Amino acid sequence: MSRALASALQAISCRGRAPVVVARLASRTSSALQPSDRMVIHKAVKRNNVVFFEHLFLGVGDMNTAHIFYEEGLGLVYDPSVRSGQKKGVGVSWLNIGDQQVHIDQEESISRTPGPVRLLLPDLNDLQNQMQQVETKLKGTQFKAEFDFQSHHADITDPWGQHFSIAENPSNSTGNNKGSFEGLLLPCHVGTAKAIAQFYRQMLEAEATEHTDADGQVYVHVDIGSGTRFTFQEDAGLGPLHMQKAIEAYEGWHCALYIFDYEGTYNRIVQAGINQVDHPYKDKADTLEHARQWNQFRFSDIVAVNEAPTDAEVQFKKDQLLYRFGHEIRSLKHRRCPKILLASH
């Protein structure tokens, strides 16, 4: 079993209200997950509501160049079962990294995460060889690959400036489909990290922990399942919090997360006024009925769930925008759920 699946199953087995969860375990090495596969039944005790980080979507400038980098270079495995996603365009490609995926699509505007995407791959020597083989093909782009074998780490930049921070983990291998997401590093405005953590605790019922580094910088880890996390790190270089800055910093990328309490989460997002239907996908979950129909809904705005304390260094009002990026929230009943279906309450 892969690292991502094992972590997700542990989270599910610790989740509350004592349901019976039927876990379907499958590999994505060559095709979409099928509704067969081994079944494991777990009794639950409350823990994290976010149980699985499924994919990261990025907009690229050219699909041929993207496949050279992501398949030949980075070594991700093309999922032949799905070439076109829900978007109206053609050419959306789903690339497997273990039981998780990177989705890429040719876009008029490139969409990149503001900080590095952290990956775990089993062999940096193999990765270096692959990167050397594509270097000439990617000449003239922003592609760059730097390796530090003493620290078992690589910094790699895709042809459009998307940064990947890669750590070597030899045990993180599943057949021909290897690797996993460790997380995303997301720089945020000073004074907002703890409020962002509170948003995830209250809206998604996710586990979020607060920390301070040796330089006094505040950061929070948000557990998004499958051993993956968002790390929001305060960055003084971003300047003071301003709603327009948060809007302009978002380029259109998104992540897909599986949620245990799907309807409860949907209702909280709707009540907060941040349910999103103005997107280019088919799943317009403007009502709970439609959310049930699609088994997924979307939001982008991370807002303050409480007003900042009067003595706080940075002041913001309740419902003020703190951060923005796309969240595709899926039910465990979603047709592509890789391992877990909710059997009964």
Side-chain angles (χ1 to χ4, degrees):
M1 186 189 306
S2 74
R3 169 185 174 273
L5 277 179
S7 298
L9 286 174
Q10 182 180 13
I12 280 293
S13 67
C14 293
R15 179 65 192 174
R17 292 179 293 278
V20 176
V21 174
V22 178
R24 300 184 182 272
L25 310 180
S27 170
R28 274 182 169 153
T29 55
S30 60
S31 62
L33 296 167
Q34 301 300 321
S36 51
D37 313 318
R38 303 189 304 275
M39 304 175 75
V40 182
I41 297 178
H42 294 266
K43 292 285 184 181
V45 184
K46 183 166 184 177
R47 197 185 174 195
N48 198 4
N49 187 38
V50 186
V51 296
F52 193 69
F53 174 92
E54 200 266 353
H55 75 252
L56 167 68
F57 173 90
L58 299 170
V60 299
D62 174 75
M63 290 300 285
N64 290 330
T65 304
H67 282 290
I68 291 171
F69 174 79
Y70 284 94
E71 291 188 79
E72 298 178 29
L74 204 54
L76 305 190
V77 180
Y78 171 54
D79 183 346
S81 69
V82 181
R83 180 121 196 159
S84 254
Q86 294 186 66
K87 248 181 141 177
K88 293 181 180 178
V90 295
V92 179
S93 290
W94 296 17
L95 302 170
N96 300 333
I97 174 169
D99 297 291
Q100 299 163 299
Q101 294 189 327
V102 175
H103 293 185
I104 54 174
D105 187 19
Q106 186 166 320
E107 304 267 307
E108 291 183 7
S109 298
I110 306 304
S111 60
R112 299 158 296 192
T113 65
V117 175
R118 292 168 165 169
L119 303 179
L120 296 173
L121 295 179
D123 193 323
L124 288 189
N125 286 297
D126 286 349
L127 182 63
Q128 184 183 51
N129 291 335
Q130 291 160 196
M131 290 297 168
Q132 289 173 343
Q133 291 172 18
V134 301
E135 186 174 6
T136 301
K137 298 179 184 179
L138 299 177
K139 188 176 181 180
T141 72
Q142 296 183 53
F143 167 73
K144 184 169 63 174
E146 298 177 343
F147 290 80
D148 183 344
F149 287 95
Q150 280 193 330
S151 62
H152 305 282
H153 181 266
D155 284 309
I156 294 176
T157 304
D158 88 350
W160 301 276
Q162 174 62 58
H163 182 204
F164 292 89
S165 176
I166 299 173
E168 186 175 52
N169 183 0
S171 65
N172 197 19
S173 174
T174 306
N176 294 322
N177 190 10
K178 304 171 182 178
S180 65
F181 282 89
E182 183 177 15
L184 281 70
L185 178 61
L186 303 170
C188 61
H189 292 279
V190 171
T192 64
K194 292 182 180 180
I196 290 171
Q198 185 59 29
F199 172 89
Y200 279 98
R201 291 190 196 106
Q202 188 164 318
M203 292 292 129
L204 269 62
E205 293 187 343
E207 288 189 330
T209 57
E210 303 169 3
H211 309 269
T212 303
D213 66 18
D215 297 323
Q217 295 276 45
V218 177
Y219 64 97
V220 298
H221 291 316
V222 180
D223 182 353
I224 50 173
S226 56
T228 310
R229 62 192 181 190
F230 295 144
T231 298
F232 292 91
Q233 177 140 19
E234 294 185 358
D235 183 350
L238 295 177
L241 175 63
H242 190 282
M243 183 174 69
Q244 192 59 34
K245 287 184 179 180
I247 293 172
E248 292 172 354
Y250 174 48
E251 296 186 349
W253 59 281
H254 74 255
C255 295
L257 308 174
Y258 282 92
I259 296 286
F260 191 96
D261 179 17
Y262 175 73
E263 293 191 10
T265 304
Y266 175 81
N267 288 332
R268 289 190 294 274
I269 293 297
V270 168
Q271 289 168 8
I274 57 175
N275 182 45
Q276 187 178 5
V277 293
D278 59 338
H279 55 71
Y281 302 91
K282 297 177 181 178
D283 53 313
K284 315 289 189 188
D286 54 341
T287 66
L288 180 57
E289 181 180 355
H290 288 156
R292 289 169 176 160
Q293 173 188 338
W294 292 108
N295 280 312
Q296 66 183 44
F297 65 90
R298 299 172 189 263
F299 74 89
S300 293
D301 290 354
I302 298 172
V303 299
V305 295
N306 295 301
E307 187 170 339
T310 55
D311 60 347
E313 179 182 355
V314 176
Q315 291 295 308
F316 47 79
K317 300 292 185 182
K318 185 177 183 297
D319 299 325
Q320 182 172 335
L321 181 66
L322 302 173
Y323 213 93
R324 174 176 285 182
F325 69 89
H327 297 67
E328 179 181 331
I329 304 299
R330 292 181 174 183
S331 162
L332 300 186
K333 298 178 183 179
H334 192 282
R335 63 187 180 86
R336 290 192 63 84
C337 182
K339 64 205 172 310
I340 311 161
L341 291 175
L342 188 62
S344 63
H345 287 277

